[in-house]
Amino acid sequence: MADLDRLRRLLGGEETEWLLDRLRRRMINGKPLSGIVTLGSATHDQRRAIERLLGRRAGTGTSLSVSLDEVDAILRRSGAAPDGLADVAKLLIGTVPDREREAVAWAAAHQPLDNLAAQRPELATWRGWLDSTGMVRRLASDPGAASALTSAAVRVLTELPSKGIALGRLAAETSGDAHGLDDGRPLATIVLSAARCLRGTPPVGDGTAGERRASWAAVGVHRDELSSSVLCLGLSGGADTVTGRILALARESGEPCVLTLRQLNAAILGVGSGVVSVCENPIVLASAADELGPGCPPLVCVNGQPSAAVWRLLDLLAADGARFRYHGDFDWGGIRIGNTLRDRISWQPWRFDAATYTATAATGGPLAGRPADASWDPGLRPALERRQVRIEEELVLPVLLDDLRALVC
């Protein structure tokens, strides 16, 4: 039977309170009462108390390290606690409240998300939204299920943005369940909300299938080979493939062409080298079709964050030797799209730099959102921050169309 008076003399004072605190933390976390515990910046009295307990010097320096296994053995031999630290925990600490243990377990379940957000600041808004809504607790019945869910979410998000992958394949490779990212599944809810933030939109969508499809596409995930598409105009296709012939007919008629990922996966376009202009918004391409028709030079629209089909087309054009120039909206979302493109293909700014922004008289609404550096022009972010207005492509259409005409001449 434990000697409570001796235990209180050895471990019940203020000088050893830190040691009992370390034991209590281990109990809360469900860890064994063994191993080394350390106190930084130990006082003289704290060191002397440990030396009385151990019966020897406790080292030198400012920190103080104690082997719980040694303490356990000493207490057993001395008879102060025949059952070792188990007796100490029972008599001096008591039972750890279940609610406290549960709180620690939930915090541990969220830790993978914290680590990911620390590594990827662009997910900070998403991480805060998860906490504010209690989303993980709503989707998982207990800390164990939550831990499995958050770990799976991190595995998926580590692979995103992707250069192009089917949703079912991504789910199978990261979670072991090909349907794990289907609509309504807990994992899909967590990951899709993060995809929206990577896209530059709020973590909550509008509830439509189109919005979900667009959000997946923004991080390079396609639900199938037909739902991912790309809009283009003026691409001269070859006669060797169906896709090449489709492009040739569209160019001859001066009409925009919508190509699916399926049409591009095994395509040899036969477009050839030359300058390909890339824009962010469909209005640019539609206006070019209206005003230039069959005379429009090659033009591709990314339509927001590039989809898998956009990436595939750009890769095929690059393989043919195409040289790209890009124009997007002068706002934080537009800069992020430009950065995403520049991470994968080489392009030159097409009136998409600080000098052009500063000289443009047109103005849209107020600039909103989280700022971003432009990898192609360090001066663009400061210019936007000074002026605090956004300029969409629609507002500079005449100049862009003149540039396209100049390429034909």
Side-chain angles (χ1 to χ4, degrees):
M1 184 175 180
D3 188 334
L4 183 57
D5 289 338
R6 289 185 64 189
L7 286 178
R8 285 174 175 165
R9 288 196 299 271
L10 290 171
L11 293 168
E14 292 183 6
E15 297 81 6
T16 54
E17 186 177 331
W18 71 272
L19 184 57
L20 293 179
D21 180 64
R22 300 298 193 278
L23 293 177
R24 189 171 188 274
R25 292 185 194 179
R26 287 174 178 259
M27 293 168 65
I28 291 173
N29 291 317
K31 294 181 179 180
L33 304 182
S34 60
I36 303 294
V37 294
T38 301
L39 173 67
S41 302
T43 67
H44 174 79
D45 290 340
Q46 287 171 328
R47 188 176 298 278
R48 297 290 82 80
I50 293 299
E51 290 177 347
R52 288 194 299 270
L53 173 64
L54 300 179
R56 61 171 178 82
R57 292 222 15 162
T60 59
T62 57
S63 65
L64 177 60
S65 295
V66 176
S67 167
L68 295 180
D69 299 282
E70 182 181 359
V71 173
D72 181 85
I74 289 173
L75 293 174
R76 290 176 186 272
R77 286 196 306 266
S78 68
D83 291 330
L85 289 178
D87 267 3
V88 174
K90 179 179 179 181
L91 295 171
L92 299 184
I93 299 175
T95 303
V96 177
D98 289 341
R99 62 180 180 276
E100 191 166 355
R101 190 189 301 276
E102 184 181 18
V104 171
W106 277 108
H110 284 77
Q111 191 61 50
L113 304 177
D114 295 333
N115 296 340
L116 180 65
Q119 296 166 7
R120 301 177 64 176
E122 65 271 25
L123 289 173
T125 299
W126 165 74
R127 181 66 189 91
W129 174 80
L130 290 177
D131 274 350
S132 66
T133 59
M135 184 57 65
V136 174
R137 285 177 176 260
R138 289 161 58 185
L139 295 172
S141 58
D142 55 65
S147 182
L149 175 61
T150 58
S151 296
V154 168
R155 288 196 299 272
V156 177
L157 290 169
T158 300
E159 302 299 319
L160 301 180
S162 167
K163 293 183 178 180
I165 188 171
L167 184 66
R169 180 180 175 185
L170 175 65
E173 292 181 352
T174 55
S175 72
D177 179 0
H179 296 286
L181 292 172
D182 287 357
D183 290 346
R185 298 287 291 270
L187 183 59
T189 300
I190 295 292
V191 175
L192 188 55
S193 61
R196 292 186 181 106
C197 289
L198 292 175
R199 182 188 181 191
T201 60
V204 180
D206 61 14
T208 64
E211 185 278 328
R212 292 192 296 273
R213 183 166 55 250
S215 295
W216 282 122
V219 290
V221 179
H222 56 90
R223 298 171 72 93
D224 55 69
E225 292 182 324
L226 299 179
S227 63
S228 181
S229 61
V230 57
L231 185 63
C232 56
L233 175 67
L235 296 182
S236 56
D240 295 334
T241 64
V242 172
T243 303
R245 294 195 291 273
I246 291 172
L247 284 173
L249 286 171
R251 184 185 185 192
E252 182 181 345
S253 63
E255 286 297 321
C257 182
V258 179
L259 296 176
T260 66
L261 180 61
R262 180 184 177 88
Q263 291 170 310
L264 291 165
N265 267 340
I268 300 175
L269 301 182
V271 173
S273 60
V275 175
V276 174
S277 302
V278 183
C279 61
E280 180 181 342
N281 298 287
I283 186 63
V284 178
L285 194 139
S287 299
D290 289 340
E291 298 199 20
L292 304 180
C296 184
L299 178 62
V300 175
C301 175
V302 299
N303 197 14
Q305 284 288 348
S307 67
V310 170
W311 287 128
R312 177 60 177 162
L313 177 58
L314 294 178
D315 286 345
L316 289 171
L317 294 173
D320 276 349
R323 304 185 309 278
F324 300 101
R325 64 176 186 175
Y326 177 70
H327 186 280
D329 290 335
F330 282 110
D331 58 22
W332 302 126
I335 287 181
R336 289 190 173 87
I337 294 171
N339 288 335
T340 300
L341 285 169
R342 203 168 181 83
D343 286 342
R344 179 139 171 192
I345 64 171
S346 175
W347 57 266
Q348 295 300 314
W350 174 22
R351 297 184 183 273
F352 198 41
D353 51 27
T356 303
Y357 174 75
T358 302
T360 301
T363 60
L367 189 64
R370 181 166 52 88
D373 293 322
S375 58
W376 64 95
D377 184 356
L380 185 51
R381 173 176 174 170
L384 265 70
E385 289 179 322
R386 283 193 299 270
R387 193 173 176 187
Q388 285 296 311
V389 296
R390 67 177 189 271
I391 302 177
E392 296 91 346
E393 284 186 310
E394 292 88 335
L395 299 176
V396 293
L397 268 177
V399 177
L400 298 179
L401 294 176
D402 286 344
D403 287 345
L404 291 172
R405 288 190 186 92
L407 280 180
V408 181
C409 300

